[in-house]
Coordinates of all heavy atoms in Angstrom, one line a residue:
I186 N 5.8 -6.4 -12.3 CA 6.5 -7.4 -11.5 C 5.4 -8.3 -10.8 O 4.5 -7.8 -10.2 CB 7.4 -6.8 -10.5 CG1 8.5 -6.0 -11.2 CG2 8.0 -7.9 -9.6 CD1 9.3 -5.1 -10.3
A187 N 5.6 -9.6 -10.9 CA 4.6 -10.5 -10.2 C 5.3 -11.1 -9.0 O 6.3 -11.9 -9.1 CB 4.2 -11.6 -11.2
P188 N 4.7 -10.9 -7.8 CA 5.3 -11.5 -6.6 C 4.7 -12.9 -6.4 O 3.6 -13.2 -6.8 CB 4.8 -10.5 -5.5 CG 3.5 -10.0 -6.0 CD 3.7 -9.9 -7.5
S189 N 5.4 -13.7 -5.7 CA 5.0 -15.1 -5.6 C 4.1 -15.3 -4.4 O 4.4 -16.0 -3.4 CB 6.3 -16.0 -5.4 OG 7.0 -15.6 -4.2
Q190 N 2.9 -14.7 -4.5 CA 1.8 -15.0 -3.6 C 1.4 -16.4 -3.8 O 1.0 -17.2 -2.9 CB 0.7 -14.0 -3.8 CG 1.1 -12.6 -3.5 CD 0.1 -11.6 -3.9 OE1 -0.2 -11.5 -5.1 NE2 -0.5 -10.8 -3.0
K191 N 1.3 -16.8 -5.1 CA 1.2 -18.2 -5.5 C 2.6 -18.9 -5.5 O 3.6 -18.2 -5.5 CB 0.6 -18.3 -6.9 CG -0.9 -17.8 -7.0 CD -1.8 -18.6 -6.1 CE -3.3 -18.3 -6.3 NZ -3.9 -18.9 -7.6
K192 N 2.6 -20.2 -5.4 CA 3.9 -20.9 -5.2 C 4.5 -21.1 -6.6 O 4.4 -22.1 -7.2 CB 3.7 -22.2 -4.5 CG 5.0 -22.8 -4.0 CD 4.7 -24.0 -3.1 CE 6.1 -24.7 -2.7 NZ 6.9 -23.9 -1.9
F193 N 5.2 -20.1 -7.0 CA 5.9 -20.1 -8.3 C 6.9 -21.3 -8.4 O 7.6 -21.5 -7.4 CB 6.6 -18.8 -8.6 CG 5.8 -17.6 -8.9 CD1 6.3 -16.4 -9.0 CD2 4.4 -17.7 -9.0 CE1 5.6 -15.2 -9.2 CE2 3.6 -16.6 -9.2 CZ 4.2 -15.4 -9.3
T194 N 7.0 -21.9 -9.6 CA 8.0 -22.9 -9.8 C 8.8 -22.6 -11.1 O 8.4 -21.7 -11.8 CB 7.3 -24.3 -10.0 OG1 6.5 -24.2 -11.3 CG2 6.4 -24.7 -8.9
A195 N 9.8 -23.4 -11.3 CA 10.6 -23.2 -12.6 C 9.7 -23.3 -13.8 O 9.9 -22.5 -14.8 CB 11.7 -24.2 -12.6
E196 N 8.7 -24.2 -13.7 CA 7.8 -24.4 -14.9 C 6.9 -23.2 -15.1 O 6.4 -23.1 -16.2 CB 7.0 -25.7 -14.7 CG 7.8 -27.0 -14.7 CD 8.7 -27.2 -13.5 OE1 8.4 -26.7 -12.4 OE2 9.8 -27.8 -13.7
D197 N 6.7 -22.4 -14.1 CA 5.9 -21.2 -14.3 C 6.5 -20.1 -15.0 O 5.8 -19.1 -15.4 CB 5.4 -20.7 -12.9 CG 4.4 -21.7 -12.2 OD1 3.6 -22.4 -12.9 OD2 4.4 -21.7 -11.0
M198 N 7.8 -20.1 -15.0 CA 8.5 -18.9 -15.6 C 8.2 -18.6 -17.0 O 7.9 -17.5 -17.4 CB 10.0 -19.0 -15.4 CG 10.5 -19.0 -14.0 SD 10.0 -17.6 -13.0 CE 8.7 -18.3 -12.0
P199 N 8.1 -19.6 -17.9 CA 7.7 -19.3 -19.3 C 6.3 -18.8 -19.4 O 5.9 -18.0 -20.2 CB 7.8 -20.7 -20.0 CG 8.8 -21.5 -19.2 CD 8.6 -21.0 -17.8
K200 N 5.4 -19.3 -18.5 CA 4.0 -18.8 -18.5 C 3.9 -17.3 -18.1 O 3.2 -16.6 -18.7 CB 3.2 -19.7 -17.5 CG 3.1 -21.2 -17.8 CD 2.5 -21.9 -16.8 CE 2.6 -23.4 -17.0 NZ 2.0 -24.2 -15.8
L201 N 4.7 -17.0 -17.0 CA 4.7 -15.6 -16.6 C 5.3 -14.7 -17.7 O 4.8 -13.6 -18.0 CB 5.5 -15.4 -15.3 CG 4.9 -16.0 -14.1 CD1 5.9 -16.0 -12.9 CD2 3.6 -15.3 -13.6
K202 N 6.4 -15.1 -18.3 CA 7.0 -14.3 -19.4 C 6.0 -14.2 -20.5 O 5.9 -13.1 -21.1 CB 8.3 -15.0 -19.8 CG 9.1 -14.3 -20.9 CD 9.8 -13.1 -20.3 CE 11.0 -12.6 -21.1 NZ 10.7 -12.3 -22.5
A203 N 5.3 -15.2 -20.9 CA 4.4 -15.2 -22.0 C 3.2 -14.2 -21.7 O 2.6 -13.6 -22.6 CB 3.8 -16.5 -22.3
A204 N 2.9 -14.1 -20.4 CA 1.8 -13.2 -20.0 C 2.2 -11.7 -20.0 O 1.4 -10.8 -19.7 CB 1.3 -13.6 -18.6
G205 N 3.5 -11.5 -20.2 CA 4.0 -10.1 -20.3 C 4.7 -9.6 -19.0 O 5.1 -8.5 -18.9
I206 N 4.8 -10.5 -18.0 CA 5.4 -10.1 -16.7 C 6.9 -9.8 -17.0 O 7.6 -10.5 -17.7 CB 5.2 -11.2 -15.7 CG1 3.7 -11.3 -15.3 CG2 6.1 -10.9 -14.5 CD1 3.2 -10.1 -14.7
A207 N 7.4 -8.7 -16.4 CA 8.8 -8.3 -16.6 C 9.8 -9.0 -15.6 O 10.9 -9.1 -16.0 CB 8.9 -6.8 -16.4
A208 N 9.3 -9.4 -14.5 CA 10.2 -10.1 -13.5 C 9.3 -10.8 -12.5 O 8.2 -10.4 -12.2 CB 11.0 -9.1 -12.8
A209 N 9.9 -12.0 -12.0 CA 9.3 -12.7 -10.9 C 9.9 -12.2 -9.6 O 11.2 -12.1 -9.6 CB 9.5 -14.2 -11.1
L210 N 9.1 -12.0 -8.6 CA 9.6 -11.6 -7.3 C 9.3 -12.7 -6.3 O 8.1 -13.0 -6.0 CB 8.9 -10.3 -6.8 CG 9.1 -9.9 -5.4 CD1 10.6 -9.5 -5.1 CD2 8.2 -8.6 -5.1
L211 N 10.4 -13.4 -5.9 CA 10.2 -14.6 -5.1 C 10.2 -14.3 -3.6 O 11.2 -13.8 -3.1 CB 11.3 -15.6 -5.4 CG 11.5 -16.0 -6.9 CD1 12.6 -17.0 -7.0 CD2 10.2 -16.5 -7.5
G212 N 9.2 -14.6 -2.9 CA 9.1 -14.4 -1.5 C 9.1 -15.7 -0.7 O 9.3 -16.8 -1.3
V213 N 8.7 -15.6 0.5 CA 8.9 -16.7 1.5 C 8.1 -17.9 1.1 O 8.5 -19.1 1.3 CB 8.5 -16.3 2.9 CG1 7.0 -15.9 3.0 CG2 8.9 -17.3 3.9
I214 N 7.0 -17.8 0.4 CA 6.2 -18.9 -0.1 C 7.0 -19.8 -1.0 O 6.8 -21.0 -0.9 CB 4.9 -18.4 -0.7 CG1 3.9 -17.9 0.3 CG2 4.2 -19.5 -1.6 CD1 2.7 -17.1 -0.2
V215 N 7.9 -19.3 -1.7 CA 8.8 -20.0 -2.6 C 10.1 -20.3 -1.9 O 10.6 -21.5 -1.9 CB 9.1 -19.3 -3.9 CG1 10.2 -20.0 -4.7 CG2 7.8 -19.2 -4.7
T216 N 10.7 -19.3 -1.2 CA 12.1 -19.4 -0.8 C 12.2 -20.2 0.6 O 13.3 -20.6 0.9 CB 12.7 -18.1 -0.6 OG1 12.1 -17.3 0.5 CG2 12.6 -17.3 -1.9

Side-chain angles (χ1 to χ4, degrees):
I186 298 165
S189 63
Q190 298 167 299
K191 294 299 189 74
K192 193 173 177 64
F193 291 172
T194 66
E196 291 72 27
D197 290 329
M198 295 303 104
K200 301 172 188 176
L201 290 170
K202 183 72 158 54
I206 292 298
L210 171 62
L211 308 182
V213 66
I214 285 168
V215 170
T216 68

